[in-house]
Amino acid sequence: MSPRTTIEDVYAQILARNPGEPEFHQAVREVFGSLDRVLEKRPEYTEASILERICEPERQIIFRVPWLDDAGRVQINRGFRVQYNSALGPYKGGLRFHPSVLLGTVKFLGFEQIFKNALTGMPIGGGKGGSDFDPKGRSDAEVMRFCQSFMTEAYRHIGEYTDVPAGDIGVGAREIGYLFGQYKRITNSYESGVLTGKGVTWGGSLVRTEATGYGAVYFTQHMLATRGQSFDGARVLVSGSGNVAIYAIEKVQSLGGIVVGASDSSGAVHDPDGIDLELLRDVKERRRDRIEVYATERGGRARFVPGASVWDLDGDESVQVALPCATQNELGEEHARTLVANGLVAVAEGANMPATPGAIRIFRQAGVLFGPGKAANAGGVATSALEMQQNASRDSWGFEHTEERLAEIMAGIHERTAETAEEYGVPGDYTVGANIAGFIRVADAMLALGVI
Ligand code: NDP
Ligand code: 2IT
């Protein structure tokens, strides 16, 4: 871009060239909102058109995924892999299987992933993928046939040194197993480092399953500590009841917090005596059932509100910490107002972009600590990078050692984010801190690697 091209000009180009992708626009807008301060100090970024380059994925792959359901009918889904930026390492990021997945969804997630991965300090680029396949209600055999068909195309684009997918919504150990099995079969090589989130007996890392939820809670602990507060006795709301939510709840409870609500796409549960995690895991993980079953079997004061978001639950008690761990734009302005009125102290995004821009504004105005997803949920991908390290050295580490590494990484992310916010004149603004710290690391590598 010419020296006089502004961030607004670049953003206008992005809107024009990527129509109909509101989540992608939102993610770009949020990062750009932090960058004017950096571009003033570092004109070389503008001269090298870093902004335009960083917003344009290096490669976008879209493919047909045909498979046979249990009745023998042909089903067709769409597969995606957006290889966004490889300045710092192989493309790295999850696969999402959910009926709402469009190219714009994958681009928003891939764009976020670039800066999140940079912020971990580890050698991983940014990418994301997925499909509009809906695993809900599908048999294991159907999920397997879908995953095999997905990988039959995806395998040619990925690899230990090229692109390393992992899980996200709708993709857990079961799906990673089927995907890895098909990759291994097609390539005739046991290339453990091509996927992360594998089972621990076949190349996976201990703590990867827990990492995103645990990491988000560690990040929140650090934020709370800046105000001399902790989880002990805090009342906490968590949205979702999937991988991130479950392990966030576990860690909060181990630190003395009381989780009074959780949810899934069918509604929310309010449980003022504190979630019974074993029961929740039994219903959601083992039985793959709806969260209503949790409330029924729990009894007592637990109640299920069909169609509600956990943020709609205005219980009679105050809530100090909110951990949105379900999906993008789930927590809006009205929710934010209610939470602030109920005594909210901190929010950390376990999910990617769960709080809307309006909600974030309300949190900031109220002086609520706000940990953006790029920082708060980076423990998952960071532990994926630890899994890659173990695979590369054909080693496997113990639980305690790996959890210690995760804790150190989250402490480092908190420190880097807080220091950068301070350096750029907005102390306590973790959003600006995360965006700038992540951006500078990628932009400097892009400058060093030339115009590619
Ligand atoms: P899971 O599929 O394990 O769980 C997702 C949870 O969110 C489920 O309870 C699901 O409900 C609910 N949910 C999903 N979509 C919607 C929706 N449109 N409306 C309401 N509820 C919804 O996924 P994860 O826990 O892995 O992912 C959750 C979030 O965390 C996502 O934003 C993901 O991108 C992010 N993330 C995940 C990481 C990981 O390591 N897994 C790492 C970093 C971020 P239901 O059961 O009804 O489907
Ligand atoms: O959003 C994310 O960071 C993830 N879904 C995890 C990605 C990974 O490669 O572990």
Side-chain angles (χ1 to χ4, degrees), residues 149-187:
S149 182
F150 185 94
M151 187 53 89
T152 301
E153 173 60 31
Y155 90 96
R156 66 188 88 243
H157 307 289
I158 65 175
E160 177 183 2
Y161 297 106
T162 314
D163 184 357
V164 183
D168 194 84
I169 291 177
V171 178
R174 174 182 62 171
E175 290 73 19
I176 294 293
Y178 296 145
L179 290 163
F180 184 68
Q182 183 74 347
Y183 184 85
K184 186 180 81 62
R185 185 179 193 193
I186 295 176
T187 60

Side-chain angles (χ1 to χ4, degrees), residues 347-412:
V347 183
E349 295 187 314
N352 287 305
M353 213 167 76
T356 65
I360 297 172
R361 216 172 302 122
I362 288 163
F363 292 142
R364 192 173 301 133
Q365 282 161 3
V368 169
L369 295 160
F370 180 78
K374 285 185 201 77
N377 72 39
V381 76
T383 307
S384 279
L386 299 179
E387 183 170 328
M388 291 163 72
Q389 281 182 25
Q390 292 168 75
N391 293 151
S393 58
R394 300 183 185 278
D395 197 0
S396 59
W397 307 340
F399 194 95
E400 254 176 55
H401 171 71
T402 317
E403 194 184 0
E404 245 166 59
R405 293 285 306 267
L406 168 64
E408 280 165 22
I409 290 165
M410 294 315 295

Side-chain angles (χ1 to χ4, degrees), residues 81-82 90-96 109-110 113-114 116-117 124-130 158 163-168 176 194-196 208 381 384 388:
R81 187 71 185 167
V82 173
Y91 309 108
K92 182 82 196 88
L95 296 173
R96 176 176 292 190
L109 290 161
Q113 200 84 44
I114 303 171
K116 182 198 303 191
N117 294 5
I124 41 179
K128 201 86 188 189
I158 65 175
D163 184 357
V164 183
D168 194 84
I176 294 293
V194 68
L195 290 172
T196 61
R208 176 62 191 90
V381 76
S384 279
M388 291 163 72

